[in-house]
Amino acid sequence: MNANQHPATPPPAAIPADVHCAQDYETLASRYIAAPTLAYIAGGSGRGVTAAANLASFSDLAIVPRLLRDVSTGHTRRVLGAQPFEHPLLLAPVAHQKLAHAEGELACARAAQATDSGIVCSTLSSHRLEDISRLAGPRRWFQLYFQPGRNATLDLLRRAEDAGFGAIVVTLDAAVQAASLDALQAGFRLPADCVAANLRGHENLSSPVLAGNDSRIFQGLMRDAPTWRDLDWLMTQSHLPVWVKGVLHPQDARDLQQRGVAGLVVSNHGGRGLDGAPASLRALPGVRAAVGASFSLLFDGGIRSGADAFKALALGADAVLIGRLQLYALAAAGALGVAHMLKLMREELEVCMALAGCPTLDDIGGDALMPAAPLLP
Amino acid sequence: MNANQHPATPPPAAIPADVHCAQDYETLASRYIAAPTLAYIAGGSGRGVTAAANLASFSDLAIVPRLLRDVSTGHTRRVLGAQPFEHPLLLAPVAHQKLAHAEGELACARAAQATDSGIVCSTLSSHRLEDISRLAGPRRWFQLYFQPGRNATLDLLRRAEDAGFGAIVVTLDAAVQAASLDALQAGFRLPADCVAANLRGHENLSSPVLAGNDSRIFQGLMRDAPTWRDLDWLMTQSHLPVWVKGVLHPQDARDLQQRGVAGLVVSNHGGRGLDGAPASLRALPGVRAAVGASFSLLFDGGIRSGADAFKALALGADAVLIGRLQLYALAAAGALGVAHMLKLMREELEVCMALAGCPTLDDIGGDALMPAAPLLP
Amino acid sequence: MNANQHPATPPPAAIPADVHCAQDYETLASRYIAAPTLAYIAGGSGRGVTAAANLASFSDLAIVPRLLRDVSTGHTRRVLGAQPFEHPLLLAPVAHQKLAHAEGELACARAAQATDSGIVCSTLSSHRLEDISRLAGPRRWFQLYFQPGRNATLDLLRRAEDAGFGAIVVTLDAAVQAASLDALQAGFRLPADCVAANLRGHENLSSPVLAGNDSRIFQGLMRDAPTWRDLDWLMTQSHLPVWVKGVLHPQDARDLQQRGVAGLVVSNHGGRGLDGAPASLRALPGVRAAVGASFSLLFDGGIRSGADAFKALALGADAVLIGRLQLYALAAAGALGVAHMLKLMREELEVCMALAGCPTLDDIGGDALMPAAPLLP
Amino acid sequence: MNANQHPATPPPAAIPADVHCAQDYETLASRYIAAPTLAYIAGGSGRGVTAAANLASFSDLAIVPRLLRDVSTGHTRRVLGAQPFEHPLLLAPVAHQKLAHAEGELACARAAQATDSGIVCSTLSSHRLEDISRLAGPRRWFQLYFQPGRNATLDLLRRAEDAGFGAIVVTLDAAVQAASLDALQAGFRLPADCVAANLRGHENLSSPVLAGNDSRIFQGLMRDAPTWRDLDWLMTQSHLPVWVKGVLHPQDARDLQQRGVAGLVVSNHGGRGLDGAPASLRALPGVRAAVGASFSLLFDGGIRSGADAFKALALGADAVLIGRLQLYALAAAGALGVAHMLKLMREELEVCMALAGCPTLDDIGGDALMPAAPLLP
């Protein structure tokens, strides 16, 4: 294990006293995560342009309070796919969670069950998907990366089906991933004990052999990148609803909808895909407009508070995924921390709903928002 | 009394020599108010996004000077409700004023009378409303929070009527209030001697009992939040004109106007309500447009100078309320400080009017403003 | 003489070696001017909002270079009023120039003559207008403040006529002036030897006596502020063309044009009038549109380079006035410094003209500018 | 040789270990280039306003990823003029490359050949054009400044033809160049051994003799600036296609297109021409709109990454030129560094293409971009 991966302090048994809101887990992250690891988790690809844009985009919008509305029967329930959810906050599929805590995804699974939260288990989890599934409660989905070779992909799919996950979320936006310059500079390397547990035993397929004029990108890394044909194949193979994660362009959204996917996740991979991609929130209204009001749409990218979640919902998301905060809370206090973070964020969302006069998620519409920008043109 | 509540220096008997404009009372506040208390007073809810937006919004606008107009008969008089006011600067209802000065609201009342200012006494005043009323001069209104139980609300209403207040201002935007993170971090707690004097003897109603699936927000804090029915009831009970404070959405404004309220206060509770709500100034033009030119509209949220007041008036406010500056001036020099602050701000407003060629408040219109923003699209 | 008014170093006999462009005189000003005096000169009224806006406004605009145009017969000549000028850069009427250099306005007058520049002598000059006039060359105008009492005003007018000034520039935007907070904090006071030389012997008119309800602004300071009647009177009295300085609103511009003034100066008094007034450059296009293409329009407010001058000309100014840079150059190297600053700025303007393909001032139009702002909406 | 021109450390024999992306050569530049020289290379003219705008403009735009497109046959080939290029990244004509490395242009020529890159050799190269040509590979063009005297210009043209360059790129935007204030302050002077090798033996034409009223700019520096007549003459003389570099205004673009030039380079000379000119990227769409979709258009100004190149291509450029990064990589590791920088940038471009679903350059269109700006108006 690389020395620089050790947390600065051993994770405490209890919720830190100075966490007053969900985002405080981020504020305090450096207390629980060693600097190189934190650089890796916090960083976006390249110079982190998109990761920063994700965060900044929320401050362009204000939430308009409403008065005197009776919200005493309010709730946050919503059906996603065919499944009922207690609230629209899901744990995003984050890889390699042992980086933050030895219990990793197992702790997050427990927190999801304890808080009635949805959870999407990553292909690159550091525990086995079967073990995560057993702890994760009923609202568990499996995030799938196409593997180099259909057998390997099919193997993962069948295991997810067998383990009782309720849906497959195919991530399509990470065919090539540039490392974070900050993480490179901080000297981060994945520690030896942090392996993709689900992929053990998968044969290492040979890298493409490039001819003289071939591009390492086009003929190399992209040679096996999934195409429409692969998605079609997957959908015929899957017994579970298939969602697609990583959509930003309205035309892709329309095409995927027509292909019959169950829903989409508007996402730029937390700024870890193409550095320079738009903020997810910037892309959300266009995608919602493209697929119509009733098609299922999840969102991730920069959610740090219930107010952020509210804004994404008001712009058309049905629910949101929580990525980095999950890791920060995990590092700070294990399953307890993640559950606490989810509870805080849900209450923050409920406060926004209450004050914006929205007793249910369906009441959250675009008219609940105003530009936070200047008054006169 | 909590040690951290003690002012850093005992309040002086006289106006500080280095106060040159109303806002200087804010600049110098840390000299007179202990850090945790100042964090509480200055802070907005949560991360203070809305509190900061209030201040920033004024800098989007410039005031256009006019030439050669005769303003030698100029004045700042205006009728609000049916009551004549000498000028459109009112002391806002700020709770717990003993935090700033032992004389608290009594000092502010004296300052209001001395400067012919309007004053709105808070339900949560640290002195009794009857005592404040006696000192406050003729332009005194009472700010009312709905209490948990109509008897308690009615009791406050009747006491306010008996004490001779001229209007009731019902605050509706604070059903749930998140604490300021800054104040939490600074360790602020309300000192023991700082109690809501008007509520002494009110029975502590039991908190709602939550069932297993109930939300602490929807079924808890919001269970007793006022609704349209409560407002209707209040208006039938009140012998005084009823204003509503906390309006930001045009539709709420229209609905309240049709309900027959005497006027509205465009306000986001100084950024102490929903963190992420728009700047009050951002919301003002929409509300004015919704209620028409002649309906009464007050404004608060970020007023720090006569120029700020001028801008709010130009965008449709009939008068403005002064919150935090009131506390800062109070802490600095008691009644004298508050009176001085009001005098400075009134003269600042008059200078703006004189230079913008507006001898009366009715002459201040939207054409007195220009965007302070870039020249070309 | 107040100790804090003494320059930090005695002014050198020669141009500082590290002045490479006109604005460098500002960069180096603290080397030659004591801090309190510099705060007074550099400061705008109040918090300096407008003074800062003047500077910032220029960066909203870019100048578009043009190719292959023959500018070898280029020049900067222009007729202002009926008078031919070699170039459109005039020394603005800046009061109390002894603050910067013992020779004050006399040095600036010499510099104007040496560089074929126009100069506008201030009513509040620290040398007598007759002495300035003798040194100032043929393009000298006189800036007039209405005095408390028509006799005093008439006396100044006649002296200006007798001294051979070519035009009267009445400043109308400074009926009330708030001091700079920075200068107040720095403890600036006008030194005893810095008096308004032109006003010696003027009787001190009694201040207005205010009744109980009177406003110190409306019935006090504004009682004797000039009105349209005063301007009409002045125009009947003057044998010289009368310009008006301080115009920002298009309607004022139209009204003054119809009144028959010779021309206007778009100005916010360098941000020393109403703090919060728009940047002069922001107001310029509206004023130009109001008066039509052929009416005479000068500009001041934030000119620090030839590029700034070019932008003002492109937006409709016929010429520009240079205020603070005049003082900085004066402090740095007396008449020589001011002449050097003017020479640098003229060459900077000529470089802009050459590269934008404009051989004459008439070739500088709005199409020479582009927004410097973002690409896509 | 001036002492301050010596690099801080001798250039290493190998690629620096901490270069992870093309722009890192800029980040690390101060390690390899002495401060005054770096100020000269990095600086824009004057205050560097345009140089900074070049860089900032790219962050206004985001690149929208696309999903599932097959790019496995992707490539970056493009025909420019009649010549096939492997990729659209060319080395810009940068003068005086001995400032960065003793091998200067010779090293860059080798790097161009090694990476199949185009290279544009500067008139002001510190090695002779014939020597550069021999090493530069097949895609070499020659950048021409009009010389004072047609013979000298013709001599350069003929030498470029004889040396086998494939096109002439006439730079027209630098008739007058203001020095960088930063470089002046840093005390930069061109070292004695850094001469314009191509101009040795050219007679020094006498400077223009100015009459009393003549302008040093119009009648001096601009007397011999090229005009349309000179360009016409050059085009009749040249046996090579003639491109024009330095175009920003759409009308200039149209006029040059009609004159029959082979193509244009949208450029503001890296911010070293008119300080205050618009960012090149800001001007690009207007120029592309003016000349139509099929006319050849190169771009330079602020390219620091493959993403920047992608954005310029999406806004209408056919290829981009790399200026300052070339020098930084040259200083860091000679020919090897430049080749490495080009390889990195090409792969960065390919990653953007792959993730934006563009297998060829022709697939990169305006719909691949979104504003990176706020969501709501």
Side-chain angles (χ1 to χ4, degrees):
Chain A
M1 189 189 194
N2 190 329
N4 67 22
Q5 309 310 326
H6 277 297
T9 352
I15 291 169
D18 39 4
V19 169
H20 304 296
C21 65
Q23 192 166 5
D24 279 345
Y25 279 107
E26 182 174 54
T27 312
L28 302 175
S30 65
R31 198 192 283 172
Y32 303 107
I33 307 180
T37 305
L38 183 53
Y40 171 74
I41 294 173
S45 56
R47 305 195 164 259
V49 169
T50 297
N54 275 352
L55 291 177
S57 61
F58 290 93
S59 57
D60 295 336
L61 298 166
I63 301 172
V64 191
R66 301 302 298 266
L67 304 178
L68 295 173
R69 299 191 167 187
D70 185 350
V71 298
S72 64
T73 61
H75 65 84
T76 56
R77 293 190 291 276
R78 166 154 285 169
V79 173
L80 297 175
Q83 232 178 323
F85 280 72
E86 287 299 305
H87 59 83
L89 307 168
L90 287 76
L91 293 177
V94 180
H96 304 312
Q97 299 197 3
K98 267 195 192 166
L99 282 176
H101 192 284
E103 296 177 13
E105 295 82 3
L106 303 180
C108 289
R110 279 191 204 101
Q113 181 159 40
T115 58
D116 299 318
S117 304
I119 179 171
V120 186
C121 172
S122 168
T123 287
L124 299 177
S125 57
S126 39
H127 291 277
R128 287 169 40 89
L129 62 91
E130 289 81 2
D131 300 331
I132 299 166
S133 179
R134 265 187 294 276
L135 299 167
R139 298 166 202 86
R140 61 186 189 274
W141 296 358
F142 183 73
Q143 178 272 333
L144 180 72
Y145 283 117
F146 277 100
Q147 298 301 306
R150 288 195 166 171
N151 283 347
T153 305
L154 207 53
D155 172 62
L156 281 171
L157 173 62
R158 295 294 171 242
R159 286 173 59 194
E161 291 170 352
D162 293 346
F165 285 99
I168 296 294
V169 181
V170 197
T171 299
L172 294 178
D173 60 4
V176 187
Q177 259 187 300
S180 154
L181 290 175
D182 283 349
L184 284 171
Q185 277 161 12
F188 172 78
R189 285 187 308 160
L190 210 58
D193 68 338
C194 200
V195 297
N198 296 323
L199 306 185
R200 258 184 216 129
H202 281 215
E203 44 177 341
N204 270 327
L205 289 194
S206 59
S207 296
V209 180
L210 299 180
N213 268 338
D214 280 355
S215 148
R216 200 176 63 88
I217 307 301
F218 291 121
Q219 284 77 46
L221 297 172
M222 295 300 290
R223 192 196 60 175
D224 299 317
T227 64
W228 289 102
R229 212 163 338 150
D230 298 301
L231 181 66
D232 289 342
W233 167 82
L234 181 74
M235 292 177 65
T236 62
Q237 294 295 326
S238 177
H239 303 110
L240 294 172
V242 174
W243 295 62
V244 167
K245 178 161 179 286
V247 185
L248 294 171
H249 198 287
Q251 189 57 51
D252 283 349
R254 263 187 299 263
D255 291 347
L256 288 161
Q257 184 184 25
Q258 290 185 353
R259 220 76 168 204
V261 302
L264 304 176
V265 186
V266 175
S267 169
N268 53 31
H269 214 112
R272 302 173 89 91
L274 173 60
D275 192 32
S280 293
L281 198 70
R282 188 71 187 70
L284 174 57
V287 174
R288 172 49 81 195
V291 297
S294 61
F295 192 69
S296 292
L297 223 51
L298 303 193
F299 171 89
D300 80 4
I303 299 283
R304 295 292 186 275
S305 68
D308 292 345
F310 183 95
K311 291 174 185 177
L313 295 168
L315 290 178
D318 293 318
V320 303
L321 303 172
I322 298 162
R324 288 184 178 86
L325 271 193
Q326 178 186 173
L327 272 268
Y328 299 144
L330 176 63
L336 189 62
V338 178
H340 184 231
M341 180 276 293
L342 284 162
K343 174 174 167 289
L344 286 172
M345 193 172 286
R346 179 176 175 179
E347 287 202 355
E348 289 165 16
L349 170 62
E350 290 181 0
V351 166
C352 289
M353 293 173 67
L355 294 180
C358 302
T360 75
L361 299 182
D362 287 346
D363 297 307
I364 305 176
D367 71 327
L369 302 181
M370 276 178 75
L375 266 163
L376 296 184
Chain B
M1 189 190 194
N2 190 329
N4 67 21
Q5 310 310 327
H6 277 298
T9 353
I15 291 168
D18 39 5
V19 169
H20 304 297
C21 65
Q23 190 165 6
D24 279 346
Y25 279 107
E26 181 173 55
T27 312
L28 302 176
S30 65
R31 198 191 284 172
Y32 303 106
I33 307 180
T37 305
L38 184 53
Y40 171 74
I41 294 173
S45 56
R47 304 194 165 260
V49 170
T50 296
N54 276 351
L55 292 176
S57 61
F58 290 94
S59 57
D60 295 335
L61 298 166
I63 301 172
V64 191
R66 300 301 298 268
L67 304 178
L68 295 173
R69 298 189 169 190
D70 186 350
V71 299
S72 64
T73 60
H75 66 84
T76 57
R77 292 190 291 275
R78 166 156 283 170
V79 173
L80 296 175
Q83 230 178 324
F85 281 71
E86 286 300 304
H87 60 83
L89 306 168
L90 287 75
L91 292 178
V94 181
H96 305 312
Q97 300 196 3
K98 267 195 192 167
L99 281 176
H101 192 285
E103 296 178 13
E105 295 82 2
L106 304 180
C108 289
R110 280 192 202 99
Q113 180 159 42
T115 58
D116 299 318
S117 304
I119 180 171
V120 186
C121 173
S122 168
T123 288
L124 300 177
S125 57
S126 39
H127 291 275
R128 286 168 39 88
L129 64 90
E130 289 81 2
D131 299 332
I132 299 166
S133 179
R134 265 189 293 277
L135 299 169
R139 297 166 203 87
R140 61 187 188 273
W141 297 358
F142 184 73
Q143 179 272 334
L144 180 73
Y145 282 118
F146 276 101
Q147 298 301 305
R150 287 194 166 172
N151 283 348
T153 304
L154 208 53
D155 173 62
L156 281 172
L157 174 61
R158 295 295 171 241
R159 285 173 60 194
E161 290 171 352
D162 292 348
F165 286 98
I168 296 295
V169 181
V170 197
T171 299
L172 294 178
D173 61 3
V176 188
Q177 258 186 301
S180 155
L181 289 174
D182 284 348
L184 284 171
Q185 277 161 13
F188 172 78
R189 287 186 307 159
L190 209 58
D193 68 338
C194 201
V195 297
N198 297 323
L199 306 184
R200 258 185 218 128
H202 280 216
E203 43 176 342
N204 270 329
L205 290 194
S206 59
S207 295
V209 178
L210 298 180
N213 268 337
D214 281 354
S215 148
R216 199 176 65 88
I217 307 301
F218 291 123
Q219 285 77 47
L221 297 173
M222 295 301 291
R223 193 195 60 175
D224 299 317
T227 64
W228 289 103
R229 210 159 343 144
D230 298 301
L231 181 66
D232 289 342
W233 167 81
L234 182 74
M235 291 177 64
T236 62
Q237 294 295 326
S238 176
H239 304 110
L240 293 173
V242 174
W243 295 62
V244 167
K245 179 162 178 286
V247 186
L248 294 171
H249 198 288
Q251 189 57 50
D252 282 350
R254 263 187 299 264
D255 292 346
L256 287 162
Q257 184 184 25
Q258 290 183 352
R259 220 74 169 206
V261 301
L264 304 175
V265 187
V266 175
S267 171
N268 54 29
H269 215 111
R272 303 173 89 91
L274 174 60
D275 192 31
S280 293
L281 198 70
R282 188 70 187 71
L284 175 57
V287 174
R288 172 50 81 195
V291 298
S294 61
F295 192 69
S296 292
L297 223 50
L298 302 194
F299 172 90
D300 80 5
I303 299 283
R304 294 292 186 276
S305 68
D308 292 345
F310 183 96
K311 291 173 185 177
L313 295 168
L315 290 177
D318 292 319
V320 303
L321 302 173
I322 298 162
R324 287 184 178 86
L325 272 192
Q326 179 187 171
L327 271 268
Y328 299 143
L330 176 62
L336 188 62
V338 178
H340 183 231
M341 181 275 293
L342 285 162
K343 173 174 167 289
L344 286 173
M345 193 172 285
R346 179 175 175 180
E347 286 201 356
E348 290 166 15
L349 171 61
E350 290 181 1
V351 166
C352 289
M353 293 172 67
L355 294 180
C358 302
T360 75
L361 299 182
D362 287 346
D363 296 307
I364 305 176
D367 71 325
L369 302 182
M370 275 179 76
L375 264 164
L376 297 184
Chain C
M1 191 192 191
N2 189 330
N4 67 19
Q5 309 310 327
H6 277 297
T9 353
I15 291 169
D18 39 5
V19 169
H20 304 296
C21 65
Q23 191 166 4
D24 279 345
Y25 279 107
E26 181 174 53
T27 312
L28 303 176
S30 65
R31 197 192 284 173
Y32 303 107
I33 307 180
T37 304
L38 184 52
Y40 170 74
I41 294 173
S45 55
R47 304 194 166 260
V49 170
T50 296
N54 275 351
L55 291 176
S57 62
F58 290 93
S59 57
D60 295 336
L61 298 167
I63 301 172
V64 191
R66 301 300 299 268
L67 304 179
L68 294 173
R69 298 190 169 189
D70 185 350
V71 299
S72 64
T73 60
H75 66 84
T76 56
R77 293 189 291 275
R78 167 155 281 170
V79 172
L80 297 174
Q83 232 178 324
F85 281 70
E86 286 300 305
H87 60 83
L89 307 168
L90 286 75
L91 293 177
V94 180
H96 305 310
Q97 300 197 2
K98 267 195 191 168
L99 281 176
H101 192 285
E103 295 177 14
E105 294 82 2
L106 303 180
C108 289
R110 279 191 202 100
Q113 180 157 43
T115 58
D116 299 318
S117 304
I119 181 173
V120 186
C121 173
S122 167
T123 287
L124 299 177
S125 57
S126 39
H127 290 277
R128 287 169 40 89
L129 65 91
E130 289 81 1
D131 299 332
I132 299 166
S133 180
R134 263 189 294 276
L135 299 168
R139 299 166 201 86
R140 62 187 188 271
W141 296 358
F142 183 74
Q143 178 272 336
L144 180 73
Y145 283 119
F146 277 100
Q147 298 301 306
R150 288 194 166 171
N151 283 348
T153 305
L154 206 54
D155 172 61
L156 281 171
L157 174 62
R158 294 293 172 244
R159 284 172 60 194
E161 290 171 353
D162 293 348
F165 286 99
I168 296 295
V169 180
V170 197
T171 299
L172 294 178
D173 61 4
V176 188
Q177 258 187 300
S180 155
L181 289 174
D182 283 348
L184 284 172
Q185 276 161 12
F188 172 78
R189 286 188 308 160
L190 209 58
D193 68 337
C194 201
V195 297
N198 296 322
L199 306 184
R200 259 185 217 128
H202 281 214
E203 44 178 340
N204 269 330
L205 290 194
S206 59
S207 295
V209 179
L210 298 180
N213 269 337
D214 281 354
S215 148
R216 198 175 65 87
I217 307 300
F218 291 123
Q219 284 78 46
L221 296 172
M222 294 301 290
R223 193 194 61 176
D224 299 317
T227 65
W228 289 102
R229 209 158 345 145
D230 298 302
L231 181 67
D232 288 342
W233 167 80
L234 182 74
M235 291 177 65
T236 60
Q237 294 296 325
S238 175
H239 303 109
L240 294 172
V242 173
W243 295 61
V244 167
K245 179 162 178 287
V247 185
L248 294 172
H249 198 288
Q251 190 57 51
D252 282 350
R254 263 187 300 263
D255 291 347
L256 287 162
Q257 184 184 24
Q258 289 184 352
R259 219 75 169 206
V261 302
L264 304 175
V265 187
V266 174
S267 170
N268 54 28
H269 215 110
R272 304 174 88 93
L274 173 61
D275 192 30
S280 294
L281 198 70
R282 189 70 187 70
L284 175 56
V287 173
R288 172 50 81 194
V291 298
S294 62
F295 192 68
S296 293
L297 223 51
L298 304 193
F299 172 90
D300 79 6
I303 299 284
R304 295 293 186 275
S305 69
D308 292 345
F310 183 95
K311 290 173 185 177
L313 295 168
L315 290 178
D318 293 318
V320 303
L321 302 172
I322 298 161
R324 287 183 179 88
L325 271 192
Q326 179 187 170
L327 271 269
Y328 299 143
L330 176 62
L336 189 61
V338 178
H340 183 231
M341 181 274 295
L342 284 163
K343 173 173 167 290
L344 286 173
M345 192 171 285
R346 179 175 174 180
E347 287 201 354
E348 290 166 14
L349 171 62
E350 290 181 359
V351 167
C352 289
M353 293 172 67
L355 294 181
C358 303
T360 76
L361 299 182
D362 288 346
D363 296 307
I364 305 175
D367 70 327
L369 301 182
M370 275 178 77
L375 263 163
L376 297 184
Chain D
M1 191 189 194
N2 189 329
N4 67 19
Q5 309 310 326
H6 277 298
T9 353
I15 291 169
D18 39 5
V19 169
H20 305 295
C21 65
Q23 192 166 4
D24 278 345
Y25 280 107
E26 181 174 54
T27 312
L28 303 176
S30 64
R31 197 192 285 172
Y32 303 107
I33 308 180
T37 305
L38 184 52
Y40 170 75
I41 293 173
S45 56
R47 304 194 165 260
V49 169
T50 296
N54 275 352
L55 292 176
S57 61
F58 290 93
S59 57
D60 295 335
L61 297 166
I63 301 172
V64 191
R66 301 302 298 268
L67 303 179
L68 295 173
R69 299 191 168 188
D70 185 350
V71 298
S72 64
T73 60
H75 65 84
T76 56
R77 292 190 290 276
R78 168 154 282 169
V79 172
L80 297 174
Q83 232 177 323
F85 281 70
E86 286 301 306
H87 61 83
L89 307 168
L90 287 75
L91 294 177
V94 180
H96 305 311
Q97 300 196 2
K98 267 196 191 166
L99 282 175
H101 191 285
E103 295 177 15
E105 295 82 3
L106 302 180
C108 289
R110 278 191 203 99
Q113 180 158 41
T115 58
D116 300 317
S117 304
I119 180 171
V120 186
C121 172
S122 168
T123 287
L124 299 177
S125 56
S126 39
H127 290 276
R128 286 169 40 89
L129 64 92
E130 288 80 3
D131 299 331
I132 299 166
S133 179
R134 264 188 294 276
L135 299 168
R139 299 166 201 85
R140 62 188 187 272
W141 296 358
F142 183 73
Q143 178 272 334
L144 180 72
Y145 283 118
F146 277 101
Q147 298 301 306
R150 289 195 165 171
N151 283 348
T153 306
L154 206 53
D155 172 61
L156 281 171
L157 173 62
R158 295 294 171 243
R159 285 172 60 194
E161 291 170 352
D162 293 348
F165 286 99
I168 296 294
V169 181
V170 196
T171 299
L172 293 178
D173 61 5
V176 188
Q177 258 186 301
S180 155
L181 289 174
D182 283 349
L184 284 171
Q185 276 160 13
F188 172 78
R189 285 186 308 159
L190 209 58
D193 68 338
C194 201
V195 297
N198 296 324
L199 306 185
R200 259 186 215 126
H202 281 214
E203 45 179 340
N204 269 329
L205 289 194
S206 58
S207 295
V209 180
L210 298 180
N213 269 338
D214 280 354
S215 148
R216 199 175 65 88
I217 307 301
F218 291 122
Q219 284 78 45
L221 296 172
M222 294 301 290
R223 193 195 60 174
D224 298 317
T227 64
W228 289 101
R229 211 161 340 148
D230 298 300
L231 180 66
D232 289 343
W233 167 81
L234 181 74
M235 292 177 65
T236 62
Q237 293 295 327
S238 176
H239 303 109
L240 293 172
V242 173
W243 295 61
V244 167
K245 179 162 178 286
V247 185
L248 294 172
H249 198 288
Q251 190 57 50
D252 282 349
R254 263 187 299 263
D255 292 347
L256 287 161
Q257 183 184 25
Q258 290 185 351
R259 220 74 168 205
V261 301
L264 304 175
V265 187
V266 174
S267 169
N268 54 29
H269 214 111
R272 303 174 88 92
L274 174 60
D275 192 31
S280 293
L281 198 71
R282 187 71 186 70
L284 175 56
V287 173
R288 172 49 81 196
V291 298
S294 61
F295 192 69
S296 292
L297 224 49
L298 304 193
F299 172 88
D300 80 5
I303 298 284
R304 294 291 186 276
S305 68
D308 293 345
F310 183 95
K311 291 173 185 177
L313 295 168
L315 291 178
D318 293 318
V320 303
L321 303 172
I322 298 163
R324 286 183 179 88
L325 271 192
Q326 179 186 171
L327 271 267
Y328 299 143
L330 177 61
L336 189 61
V338 177
H340 184 232
M341 181 275 295
L342 284 163
K343 174 174 167 291
L344 286 172
M345 192 170 285
R346 180 176 174 179
E347 287 202 355
E348 290 166 14
L349 171 61
E350 290 180 0
V351 167
C352 289
M353 292 173 67
L355 294 181
C358 303
T360 75
L361 299 182
D362 287 346
D363 296 307
I364 305 176
D367 71 326
L369 302 181
M370 276 180 74
L375 264 163
L376 297 184

